[in-house]
Amino acid sequence: MVNTEYDIVASFTREITRVNLAFKQHIQLKLRQNNIDLTFEMLSVLSCLWEQDGINQQEIANITVKDKASMTYLLDNLTKRELVYRQEDDTDRRNKKVYLTSKGKELRVQIQPWVTEMFGMVGNNLPADSVKSLTQTLEKIRENLR
Amino acid sequence: MVNTEYDIVASFTREITRVNLAFKQHIQLKLRQNNIDLTFEMLSVLSCLWEQDGINQQEIANITVKDKASMTYLLDNLTKRELVYRQEDDTDRRNKKVYLTSKGKELRVQIQPWVTEMFGMVGNNLPADSVKSLTQTLEKIRENLR
DNA sequence: ATATAATAGTTTGTACCTAAACTATTATAT
DNA sequence: ATATAATAGTTTAGGTACAAACTATTATAT
């Protein structure tokens, strides 16, 4: 069987997609099992705010690797669920800062352990630091693509 | 600055998403610049057929890491563009085999070089075999998540 | 000072994702 | 043989992605 560079990279792109999907499905299963009406994407915005409450929409978009149009939509959905609210920035009225409601803060207690658990599973049976070096290699690859 | 396991894995998940996005954007730019009315996802189905014409929808879904409902949608779109057609399998009428039209075959000449070029960029300035071992590590991580 | 550029966010249109319920067909068990 | 399970594909509904055009606001250049 021939194993050309083309095939190697093709498998690589597929495997990236699969790992991405695995994270998503793992979390969505937890959410479904606990009857929590949230998607993976909404959760990634919430996680972001659990770390830094009150940042603006563009900052959330950068951190969560989404574009600002999606952010408008996602925040509308989170607002409907009364988990966040927007507030215009007085010092720069282009910005809208996003804050967690008390309901949004409370969810952290229930959900973050699942994320922590999932993240903990990642490094099993792998050499120490291998996730870190993996990430660095991925960064280089992304550089190569520009 | 603290660098907990949580943070390390969080960066990892983000970097995966970014690399995925980089592939997508690279290709979509090429398509746009050449006025080709195709999305990244449609192209991944086409690529699959360029390798193996006449496989069924579920097989395409497995290879392209999509689910069968998306496949129905994508193939409808490709059929509208007259690039593929479906044909019921006589030996098992549950299956629909998918074939390239001549137009779908011709596109390969124009598009595949762009993919090959992009795939070639991936390994730049990286040790030989590092993409391969990267893929293997990703496979292990995916195993860990089940 | 004022034209121009840059930035944040929204809207729109097209496309994609995915769980769940569904139809049709084939495989398996007893 | 026949009930049951498994499989392939479609449909539906709610949600997401993203380019392009848009408004509002702030920054920059001359």
Side-chain angles (χ1 to χ4, degrees), chain B residues 39 66 70 73-74 77 81 92-94:
Chain B
T39 63
K66 300 178 184 306
S70 305
Y73 184 87
L74 280 170
N77 274 342
R81 287 163 173 77
D92 184 343
R93 292 173 50 214
R94 287 173 301 187

Side-chain angles (χ1 to χ4, degrees), chain A residues 8 46-47 56 65 71-72 74 81 88 90 103 112 119 131 140 143:
Chain A
I8 291 171
L46 279 184
S47 299
N56 69 33
V65 196
M71 204 44 59
T72 296
L74 278 170
R81 287 163 172 78
E88 201 179 66
D90 288 330
K103 202 171 153 192
Q112 199 158 50
F119 281 8
V131 177
K140 284 181 196 158
E143 283 296 313

Side-chain angles (χ1 to χ4, degrees), chain B residues 126-138:
Chain B
L126 291 180
D129 274 348
S130 86
V131 177
K132 210 171 192 171
S133 65
L134 194 57
T135 307
Q136 288 165 354
T137 309
L138 288 170

Side-chain angles (χ1 to χ4, degrees), chain A residues 21 56-58 68-69 72 86 94-96:
Chain A
L21 193 59
N56 69 33
Q57 298 189 197
Q58 185 60 58
K68 56 185 182 172
T72 296
R86 295 168 164 101
R94 287 172 301 187
N95 296 342
K96 290 186 183 172

